[in-house]
């Protein structure tokens, strides 16, 4: 047992802390990292993430920690303080500070560990130019009876260069501020109550000491404690209810002017001391001569030690009563009033003033009381040496001082002399550790002879990166550790404030004395020093024992020692150790060694037990004797079981066993098809480790898993499931494989004292957790039946008073284990075996009681029937869930569940598991519907397994592998649906698939296909009640927030936004936004249709299978959907209209139109409200200007669609289906009446756009629906003229010129006025233009003013076509 440096906490977020306190370091690092980059490559990502990236990463060091390690030693330039309770760490620099509070978290191994995370950061300075010089964290004791002596909260005391001392809470709320002296605060130190170790030791009072360059202020601890509590309570009241200010009690302090020293940099307040009579008489005779008078009792004095220069160390003594304490009236500062709080001129504390007093008072300086002069009594003069710091020991008798020569000097404060000096410790940081002698280690421990204490000095040399522990006063170095060069040694030197001699009774609070903070990794370590290191090695018997223990540990760590030598050396060392506690520790180290063979351990333990039995019974420690006895018993058990592994299996089975085995084989044959399919899926290659259950169990692990209790019983220690599996494999795997005799193994385990219930748990653990190997060994089923029978026959297994109408705890344990297991195949086999074994036992019990041939009916068998059916259903479900995912699918780990988890997941648990499988398989809604439509075709349960075995025997060999996989999945899905007819009804399955896809889309909004498929699944639900409820939940939970963000963004930019804006405001790219808006439109349309169909059908009744009727848990999606309130139809239609407009604007990149501006104020106010609420909707005729804007928007949408059609016609192939959908024209025409836009205007515009694009055939189809033919004829006449002008005037062909010369002058003038640039496709066949002119003549009436012009155009086109 030696010094240890143990990690007990880890500081998180050190990199952000450093960046906050040292912003210049981050800027410099960023510039250095990017100085070689061109300007166009510099972006925010480089400056944010690449500042401290390193090329070579160290193994095992996180990136964040390594990045901090590359920085300069920044922590040495900060004021750092750690609370003695280790629950608050404060790091401050200049005017900024960071508070870090303790939090508990669970690591990867499942262990709880403490971390320090940032709880507050900000600026502490309130005066111009002031900076933080010193900071300490003082925990205040709780006054509650239930937590006496425990910390209530922690006060952070900060000293500034302006002279102010301010007190804060853990959350950064300012409580008090005081200006006691106008010089900068150099150092803050605290002294708290300590229980006196001896009756003659003076009881020290609590105080806070504040050092200035030429003054020392001490604040009474009791007064400070009461004031801080009152201020904190008042701040809480003011923050909660704004109550009136309550004046706290005054604060008592003393102020001393330290004289006769040139410079002072640090101090220590030693406390009250009283001279002995001899020293009193000596001082009196020296000062007053031979005739000096001596007082009857020596005066009490407060001793202060100051370090600096001239002299190097000064000792000050202030006689009690020589200076009256000053009373400072405390005022309060509430958090909300911090910036406006003013300093009181009378007392110096922060206070409240009315508005009329603010200006004059704010300009006044707080009153500063004068200091009482205090001359130095004596010192250690050294003109060239300057002290840097002083560290007081916990017993107040010693102090260690560092200086600028790199020396560490140990002072005896009672005599005022230096008694020891260490050299070579420049910039050293000091701390003290006080160790109390453990109970039972001293020869006599009583109130008369209290336990001894030892003092150790801790020295951290940052320049050498070493941490040393020295015994005092002249003791040797007892420990040395190599640490980093940038660490910080944290030594508070105090404990809780507010504790007195009454509240400290029975106080067991543990506080860290010395901590080492490593900024490289953020680890906080504490130093543990055993008491015996303070003892002399020559006279300490314990020291000899520790030497033997170290020699034994060295021997055990050696890898090349022969077993015989190891046994002899270890036995000799163990027997030579005298102290029982060390001997026990040595034995535990030996048993925990991984290299020692079991025979060696058994022999050494037996020898130690024999030596203990040969001693005086009263001198032998009972705990050590029990340890030897129990460990020897466990070692013998390990040896016996290990020897049985090599024995041959024996024992012919009886006729009853053969009959029972036959029945089990029949049950297994019934489930063989689905079990074989499940086995094939589970036999795929997977990663395994050497530490898995199949490995050999080391003896040390075996000993750690078993515990011996009083009375000889052996209990398996509750640990992780993997440990139980390994122990169970050590006991039973040989039996399950037929390699070990079952009867002998069970007899050995029974004789060891392990209860049958724990043996049964171990057997089930190995059977269930080693499922892959069990399924490959069909013969293991019969061995499991034999083991169950043997364990059931043990005394204490099955209760003898078991009645047929009661549930047996033994068999209930088996059912519970099978129901909680996620390995469905092994659980079902175990349940079948246990069911038959229980039934056989019940039959024998009934025959012995009733002497009847009737079959016994019991409650136990009913439970088994339900359990077996549930496990069969679970096996079918697991077979489906274990199907491999096809290529290109989202994939992911298959969902593992048990009977227990299915029952606890509620009625929707099965559907939710299948929905997750559908998502992993990337199964389209149409394919899922196709697979479910086969449900009524009478597929048998065995068909999936047969199809899984022989896909190559299909009659159609031309099927692809993907089709075969789909058919296999469909057959397995049907088999599961047949087992869960209610839980997997089509509506429930589609509902959960819809919800699963929308959840996955919410995780990755870029995958717009997920949301589209979610809406498709929703449309496949036949019940309008469920459809409406799910649509409302989807809208409220996932859609409306992003939908409103998209609407406001498009309204702001007046067009379809760019990708960057979409990602910033909506959280997805521009392409995903188009798909999202289309899915929103489809969702709202589905909601409208569902609302319209509510009255036609009644709400469905959701049921569950009989064996799964005990399901309890969260409501299913369908149940939640049925609980939703009905929607307001006009409001849904209103949102659907907006969704269609947004989708159109995004799909065709419409510019210059703001979607929300197409609605009046009522319409805008109704948007994004709860769909179940009734809103004031727009009604009546709208403003013509608004209607004009709507019409313009729809015309732009039609134009965009026609352009997309033209581009698709020119392209060889087109893969996009959104903008090219032919439903857009009909959608615009449907939106026309809703927006009060004339649909005929839209049709005419569509016809003209189609002709302009050269899509004449489509234009002719739309023309049939136009009502105002005359206006359309005029528009088509212009299009015809543009086409003819392009053909005659722009192509410049000879026939064209000749024809132009023959045309009437009026027609020529009109054609020259036409601009073919308005046509998107001017070059069209003359046959199309001829048909266009004919259509134009047909629609124009003869009385039309341009009818003759149309006839001339017809003649010109005919002539041009004839010459062509």
């Amino acid at each position: 047992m030696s010094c240890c440096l143990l990690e007990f906490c880890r500081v998180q977020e050190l990199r952000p802390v450093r960046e906050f306190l040292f912003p210049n370091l981050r800027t410099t690092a960023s510039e250095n990292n990017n100085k070689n980059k061109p300007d166009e490559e510099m972006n925010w990502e480089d400056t944010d993430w690449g500042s401290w990236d390193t090329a070579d990463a160290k193994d095992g060091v996180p990136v964040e920690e390594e990045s901090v390690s590359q920085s300069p030693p920044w922590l040495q330039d900060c004021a750092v303080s750690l609370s003695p309770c280790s629950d608050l760490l404060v790091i401050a620099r200049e005017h900024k500070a960071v508070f870090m509070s303790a939090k508990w978290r669970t690591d990867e191994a499942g262990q709880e560990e403490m971390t320090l995370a940032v709880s507050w950061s900000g600026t502490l300075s309130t005066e111009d130019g002031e900076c933080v010089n010193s900071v300490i964290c003082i925990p205040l004791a709780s006054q509650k009876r239930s937590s006496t002596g425990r910390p209530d909260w922690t006060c952070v005391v900060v000293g500034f260069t302006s002279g102010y001392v301010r007190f804060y809470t853990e959350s950064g709320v300012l409580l008090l501020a005081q200006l006691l002296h106008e010089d900068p605060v150099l150092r803050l130190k605290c002294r708290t109550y300590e229980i006196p170790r001896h009756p003659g030791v003076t009881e020290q009072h609590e105080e806070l000491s504040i050092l200035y360059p030429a003054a020392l202020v001490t604040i009474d601890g009791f007064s400070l404690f009461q004031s801080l509590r009152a201020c904190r309570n008042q701040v809480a009241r003011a923050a909660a209810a704004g109550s009136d200010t309550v004046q706290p009690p005054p604060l008592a302090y003393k102020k001393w002017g330290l004289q006769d020293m040139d410079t002072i940099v640090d101090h220590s307040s030693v406390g009250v001391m009283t001279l002995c009579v001899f020293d009193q008489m000596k001082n009196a005779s020296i000062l007053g001569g031979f005739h000096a008078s001596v007082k009857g009792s020596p005066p009490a004095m407060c001793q202060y030690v100051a370090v600096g220069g001239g002299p190097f160390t000064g000792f000050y003594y202030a006689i009690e009563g020589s200076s009256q304490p000053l009373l400072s009236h405390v005022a309060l500062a509430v958090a909300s009033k911090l910036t406006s709080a003013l300093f009181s001129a009378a007392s110096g504390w922060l206070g409240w003033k009315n508005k009329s007093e603010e200006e004059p008072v704010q300009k006044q300086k707080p009153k500063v009381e004068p200091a009482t002069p205090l001359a130095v009594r004596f010192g250690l003069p050294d003109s060239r040496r300057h002290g840097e710091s002083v560290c007081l020991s916990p017993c107040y008798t010693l102090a260690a001082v560092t200086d600028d020569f790199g020396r560490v000097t140990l002072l005896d404060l009672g005599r005022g002399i230096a008694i020891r000096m260490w050299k070579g410790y420049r910039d050293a940081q000091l701390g003290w550790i006080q160790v109390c002698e453990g109970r039972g280690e001293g020869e006599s421990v009583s109130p008369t002879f209290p336990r001894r204490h030892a003092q150790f000095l801790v020295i951290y040399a940052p320049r050498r990166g070493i941490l040393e522990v020295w015994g005092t006063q002249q003791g040797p170095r007892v420990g040395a550790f190599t640490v980093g060069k940038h660490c910080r040694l944290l030594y508070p030197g105090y404990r809780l404030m507010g504790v007195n001699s009454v509240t400290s009774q029975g106080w067991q609070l543990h506080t860290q004395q010395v901590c080492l903070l490593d900024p490289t990794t953020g680890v906080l370590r504490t130093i543990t020093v055993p008491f015996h290191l303070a003892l002399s090695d020559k006279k300490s018997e314990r020291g000899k024992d520790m030497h033997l223990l170290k020699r034994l540990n060295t021997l055990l760590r050696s890898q090349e020692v022969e077993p015989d030598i190891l046994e002899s050396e270890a036995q000799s060392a163990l027997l030579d150790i005298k102290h029982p506690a060390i001997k026990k520790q040595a034995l535990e180290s030996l048993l925990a060694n991984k290299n020692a063979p079991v025979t060696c351990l058994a022999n050494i333990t037996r020898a130690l037990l024999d030596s203990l039995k040969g001693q005086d019974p009263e001198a032998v420690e009972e705990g050590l004797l029990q340890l030897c006895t129990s460990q020897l018993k466990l070692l013998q058990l390990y040896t016996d079981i290990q020897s049985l592994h090599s024995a041959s299996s024996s024992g012919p089975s009886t006729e009853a066993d053969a009959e029972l085995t036959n029945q089990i084989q029949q049950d297994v044959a019934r489930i063989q098809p689905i079990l074989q399919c499940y086995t094939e899926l589970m036999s795929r290659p997977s990663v395994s480790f050497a530490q898995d259950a199949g490995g050999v169990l080391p003896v040390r692990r075996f000993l750690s898993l078993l515990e011996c209790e009083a009375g000889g019983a052996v209990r398996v220690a509750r640990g992780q499931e993997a440990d139980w599996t390994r122990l169970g494999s050590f006991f039973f795997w040989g039996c399950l494989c037929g390699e070990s005799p079952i009867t002998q193994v069970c007899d050995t385990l029974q004789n060891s004292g392990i209860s049958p219930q724990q043996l049964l748990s171990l057997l089930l653990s190995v059977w269930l957790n080693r499922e892959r190997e069990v399924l490959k060994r069909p013969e293991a089923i019969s061995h499991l039946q034999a083991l169950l029978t043997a364990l059931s026959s043990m005394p204490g297994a099955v209760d003898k008073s078991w009645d047929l109408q009661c549930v047996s705890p033994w068999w209930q344990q088996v059912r519970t284990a099978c129901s909680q297991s996620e390995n469905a195949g092994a659980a079902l086999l175990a349940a079948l075996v246990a069911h038959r074994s229980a039934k056989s036992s019940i039959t024998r019990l009934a025959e012995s009681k009733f002497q009847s041939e009737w079959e016994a009916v019991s409650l136990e068998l009913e439970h088994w029937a339900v359990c077996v059916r549930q496990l069969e259903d679970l096996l079918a479900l697991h077979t489906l869930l274990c199907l491999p995912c096809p290529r290109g699918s989202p994939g992911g780990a298959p969902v593992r569940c048990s009977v227990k988890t299915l029952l606890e997941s509620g009625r929707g648990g099965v559907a939710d598991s299948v929905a997750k499988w559908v998502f992993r398989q990337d199964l389209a809604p149409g394919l899922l519907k196709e697979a479910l439509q086969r449900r009524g075709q009478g597929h048998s349960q065995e068909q999936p397994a047969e199809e899984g075995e022989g896909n190559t025997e299909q009659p159609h060999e031309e099927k692809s592998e993907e089709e075969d996989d789909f058919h296999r999945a469909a057959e397995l899905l049907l088999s599961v649906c047949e087992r869960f007819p209610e839980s997997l009804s089509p509506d429930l399955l589609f509902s959960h698939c819809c919800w699963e896809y929308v959840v996955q889309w919410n995780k990755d909004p870029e995958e717009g296909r997920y949301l589209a498929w979610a809406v498709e699944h929703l449309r496949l639900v036949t019940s309008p009640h469920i459809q409406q409820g799910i649509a409302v939940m989807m809208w409220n939970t996932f859609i409306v927030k992003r939908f409103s963000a998209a609407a406001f963004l498009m309204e702001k930019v007046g067009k379809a936004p760019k990708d960057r804006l979409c990602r910033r405001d909506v959280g997805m790219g521009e392409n995903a936004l188009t798909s999202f808006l289309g899915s929103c439109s489809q969702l709202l349309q589905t909601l409208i249709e569902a609302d319209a169909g509510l009255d036609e059908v009644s709400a469905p009744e959701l049921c569950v299978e009989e064996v799964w009727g005990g399901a309890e848990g969260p409501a299913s999606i369908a149940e939640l959907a049925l609980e939703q309130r009905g929607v307001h139809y006009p409001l849904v239609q209103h949102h659907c209209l907006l969704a269609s407009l947004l989708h159109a604007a995004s799909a065709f990149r419409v510019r210059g139109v703001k979607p929300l501006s197409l609605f009046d104020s009522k319409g805008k106010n109704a948007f994004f409200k709860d769909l179940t609420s009734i809103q004031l909707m727009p009604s009546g005729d709208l403003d013509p200007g608004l209607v004009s804007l709507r019409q313009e928007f729809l015309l732009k949408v039609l134009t965009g669609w026609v352009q997309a059609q033209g581009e698709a016609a020119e392209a060889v192939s087109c893969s996009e289906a959104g903008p090219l959908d032919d439903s857009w024209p009909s959608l615009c025409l449907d939106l026309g009446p809703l927006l009060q836009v004339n649909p005929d205007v839209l049709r005419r515009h569509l016809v003209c756009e189609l002709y302009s694009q050269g899509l004449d055939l489509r234009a002719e189809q739309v023309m049939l629906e136009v009502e105002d033919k005359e206006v359309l004829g005029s528009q088509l006449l212009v299009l015809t003229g543009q086409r003819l002008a392009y053909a005659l005037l722009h192509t410049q062909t000879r026939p064209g010129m000749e024809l132009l010369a023959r045309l009437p002058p009026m027609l020529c003038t009109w054609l020259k006025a036409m601009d073919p640039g308005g046509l998107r496709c001017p070059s069209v066949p003359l046959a199309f233009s001829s048909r266009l002119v004919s259509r134009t003549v047909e629609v124009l009436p003869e009385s039309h003013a341009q009818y003759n012009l149309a006839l001339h155009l017809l003649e010109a086109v005919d002539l041009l076509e004839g010459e062509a």
Side-chain angles (χ1 to χ4, degrees), residues 802-808 838-839 841-843 845-846 855-865:
W802 174 39
D803 190 13
L804 294 179
Q805 301 306 318
C806 299
V807 176
S808 171
K839 188 174 182 180
S841 176
I842 291 172
T843 302
L845 180 62
E855 183 177 356
V857 178
S858 68
L859 184 62
E860 184 70 37
L861 294 180
E862 293 296 327
H863 282 283
W864 272 118

Side-chain angles (χ1 to χ4, degrees), residues 1037-1057:
T1037 307
F1038 303 106
I1039 306 298
V1040 66
K1041 185 177 180 180
R1042 297 183 189 268
F1043 181 73
S1044 60
F1048 288 129
L1049 178 61
M1050 297 178 71
E1051 178 74 11
K1052 180 180 179 181
V1053 300
K1055 60 180 180 179

